[in-house]
Amino acid sequence: MKGLNDHIRIAGGKPLEGTISIQGSKNAALPMMAASLLHRGVSVLKGCPRIADVLCMEEILQRLGAVTWWEGHDLYMDCTDADKTEIPAAFTGKMRSSVVLLGAMLSRSGRGYLGYPGGCVIGKRPIDLHLMVLRSLGAEIEERPQGIAASCKRFQGAEVTFPKRSVGATQQGILAAVLARGETELLNCACEPEVKWLCVYLRSMGAVIRGEGTSRILITGIESLGAGNMQVPPDRIVAGTYICAAAITRGKIVLENHPEGELDAFLEVYRKMGGQYQGKSGKLIVDGTGIKNPVAFLETEVYPGFPTDLQSPLMAVLATIPGKSRIREQIFEDRYKAAEELVRMGAHIRIEGRDALIEGGYPLRGCRVYARELRGGAALILAALAAEGTTCVEGYSFIRRGYEHICQDLGISGVEGTEIYESIQLP
Ligand code: UD1
């Protein structure tokens, strides 16, 4: 996923101000797109973000035989004839969430082949829990050197306990169980809002699901599902990133279409740092002018704890606050790629195993830095906003995977509108 113009230049040093409307959620939209395969007809996702990962998933659906089109930000998916069952690694290698298509393909067609999934390089990211839940519901799965071949006439409901909470594996289990024979009980499920939104979407299609948002989800399998039609909820990680942008520039912003109630752990930290916020008439007014307190210790956790996806953006903010902060990354083992780039810009950050030790308050200076993954890349953009001089962030395509208008939203001029997404050329 690279283009000719894979960098952006950012002139820093100005407090952020203005009103930003939050895009639809990437992590909610992707599994909903997979769920749309379960209806033999047209489903629509309204307010769907037009970001590279969504376009990649759209291309995969087309590859399976779906006809898709956009009307503004509404994505229509006609899955009447989406009966192909093979997704080559050229697609799956680009995006980890493609793995949830396996359960959907098996539910629909009884078999499926999937190249191994890719995605951001932030740790090992195995798929054992995905395969475990599918096997528990009756799939025969063969792990080949290049990919996974699976078959299952019809899933059979069962009780399945996840040994570890996983957002994707929980979604996989749900997608498999909605059309299974009988009842499924999923235990130790992920409670992230994106699991809940998938269930809300599936329920709009007729699925019988209870308990989403808790660790115990009960599903009664039915024979078929109707058309899906839903507004994609606002992206809580994009909202959190922009609140960090206000914090790092000590600016003030207003967020429209913000994800109410989904950012509590993050906002609590923001408040302790000296930030203020207030919900008013459906908007969130964010004031970062008083940001001044370091964070002695913070751990990333499963929902409702502090989200791992906001760890790098927060680290950039902490680099600008005098005093010592410590972050412990508990979800992914290799999610500090942004740290060494921030150090290049003048930040004082030391990584010790799962901990990042930040000695904040040293001035950040613009230079050339490299985004290596989505959220770490966003953190570099934030640091650039606060730095003296101009920063060139290479690897903009990583950031475009998840942020539709980050330059426009953060008042960065120059590159917005550059078409970075390249469709996949198969032999
Ligand atoms: C999703 C989000 C990602 C977020 C993450 C954690 C999407 C598209 N991505 O990723 O932005 O950072 O949740 O909130 O929604 N694990 C296993 N075996 C598996 C699956 C996961 O060991 O089969 C481990 C992972 O390596 C990780 C932990 O479980 O250490 C949590 O991962 P998981 O919740 O599955 O993350 P994703 O669904 O990939």
Side-chain angles (χ1 to χ4, degrees):
M1 202 185 308
K2 58 185 183 334
L4 294 174
N5 190 7
D6 198 21
H7 65 263
I8 46 173
R9 283 182 193 283
I10 300 161
K14 268 205 330 249
L16 188 64
E17 54 181 42
T19 298
I20 309 176
S21 181
I22 299 300
Q23 69 184 58
S25 161
K26 166 175 95 67
N27 290 352
L30 293 170
M32 289 179 188
M33 291 174 76
S36 304
L37 263 187
L38 299 180
H39 167 60
R40 292 175 186 275
V42 183
S43 293
V44 57
L45 289 177
K46 298 198 170 127
C48 195
R50 293 182 76 140
I51 48 176
D53 273 13
V54 164
L55 300 180
C56 181
M57 188 64 117
E58 183 189 4
E59 219 174 334
I60 295 176
L61 291 179
Q62 290 168 353
R63 168 90 186 173
L64 293 176
V67 176
T68 65
W69 67 96
W70 290 85
E71 289 179 13
H73 273 79
D74 300 343
L75 172 61
Y76 288 79
M77 295 158 285
D78 182 350
C79 293
T80 309
D81 297 317
D83 290 314
K84 298 205 181 76
T85 54
E86 200 180 314
I87 309 175
F91 291 92
T92 59
K94 287 179 78 173
M95 193 180 54
R96 178 174 172 81
S97 40
S98 53
V99 70
V100 296
L101 286 161
L102 190 57
M105 270 192 308
L106 288 173
S107 270
R108 181 182 168 115
S109 310
R111 66 200 166 90
Y113 175 84
L114 193 83
Y116 284 112
C120 281
V121 197
I122 54 177
K124 287 200 238 62
R125 305 194 89 177
I127 55 166
D128 54 327
L129 303 176
H130 291 257
L131 303 186
M132 180 280 284
V133 69
L134 293 179
R135 283 188 171 119
S136 304
L137 296 175
E140 300 274 341
I141 298 179
E142 195 191 327
E143 292 173 69
R144 298 183 183 159
Q146 304 303 323
I148 303 149
S151 63
C152 184
K153 268 215 178 82
R154 185 175 175 192
F155 282 117
Q156 174 66 50
E159 183 187 308
V160 186
T161 304
F162 293 103
K164 177 177 186 177
R165 290 196 182 183
S166 155
V167 177
T170 301
Q171 292 168 334
Q172 184 81 270
I174 293 165
L175 287 167
V178 284
L179 290 176
R181 195 176 297 116
E183 304 272 333
T184 297
E185 183 173 1
L186 301 176
L187 297 163
N188 200 28
C189 293
C191 302
E192 267 68 1
E194 294 75 21
V195 172
K196 180 189 82 183
W197 293 120
L198 173 64
C199 293
V200 172
Y201 184 61
L202 283 164
R203 204 179 289 123
S204 84
M205 300 167 78
V208 183
I209 307 174
R210 280 176 294 148
E212 72 274 12
T214 75
S215 63
R216 178 170 175 259
I217 298 179
L218 300 165
I219 299 153
T220 306
I222 55 174
E223 293 296 322
S224 66
L225 290 171
N229 183 336
M230 198 175 128
Q231 183 76 29
V232 177
D235 194 310
R236 65 190 173 107
I237 305 303
V238 171
T241 305
Y242 292 172
I243 295 170
C244 285
I248 203 167
T249 62
R250 312 298 190 261
K252 282 187 191 175
I253 54 171
V254 177
L255 298 183
E256 290 178 345
N257 190 36
H258 75 96
E260 247 167 274
E262 293 185 359
L263 271 177
D264 292 354
F266 168 80
L267 287 172
E268 180 63 18
V269 173
Y270 175 74
R271 201 180 50 75
K272 286 189 181 148
M273 292 193 303
Q276 293 183 347
Y277 61 90
Q278 193 193 355
K280 212 173 178 183
S281 333
K283 297 178 179 171
L284 190 71
I285 300 164
V286 178
D287 182 347
T289 52
I291 292 280
K292 59 176 181 349
N293 306 319
V295 175
F297 183 68
L298 173 136
E299 294 178 295
T300 61
E301 286 171 289
V302 296
Y303 192 83
F306 190 95
T308 171
D309 285 351
L310 287 173
Q311 176 259 105
S312 301
L314 185 81
M315 181 193 288
V317 178
L318 293 174
T320 68
I321 302 176
K324 286 188 167 58
S325 296
R326 179 190 284 261
I327 299 178
R328 180 163 296 163
E329 172 56 56
Q330 305 236 76
I331 309 295
F332 293 106
E333 56 286 286
D334 188 16
R335 205 167 198 186
Y336 285 133
K337 291 216 160 40
E340 64 187 86
E341 303 301 307
L342 292 172
V343 167
R344 266 183 216 259
M345 296 179 73
H348 285 216
I349 302 171
R350 211 172 66 241
I351 304 301
E352 281 181 5
R354 285 187 171 253
D355 287 9
L357 285 79
I358 303 143
E359 173 85 53
Y362 291 88
L364 299 178
R365 293 176 307 271
C367 63
R368 183 180 297 271
V369 288
Y370 295 84
R372 298 203 169 84
E373 41 93 11
L374 166 60
R375 307 299 173 190
L380 299 181
I381 291 190
L382 302 189
L385 290 175
E388 287 162 25
T390 300
T391 304
C392 178
V393 180
E394 297 280 359
Y396 183 43
S397 47
F398 282 111
I399 301 163
R400 289 288 292 246
R401 290 179 55 170
Y403 297 86
E404 187 172 357
H405 303 298
I406 192 163
C407 292
Q408 185 185 315
D409 291 342
L410 300 181
I412 300 162
S413 56
V415 289
E416 201 62 27
T418 309
E419 197 45 78
I420 298 281
Y421 177 76
E422 276 184 354
S423 84
I424 298 150
Q425 303 299 319
L426 286 172

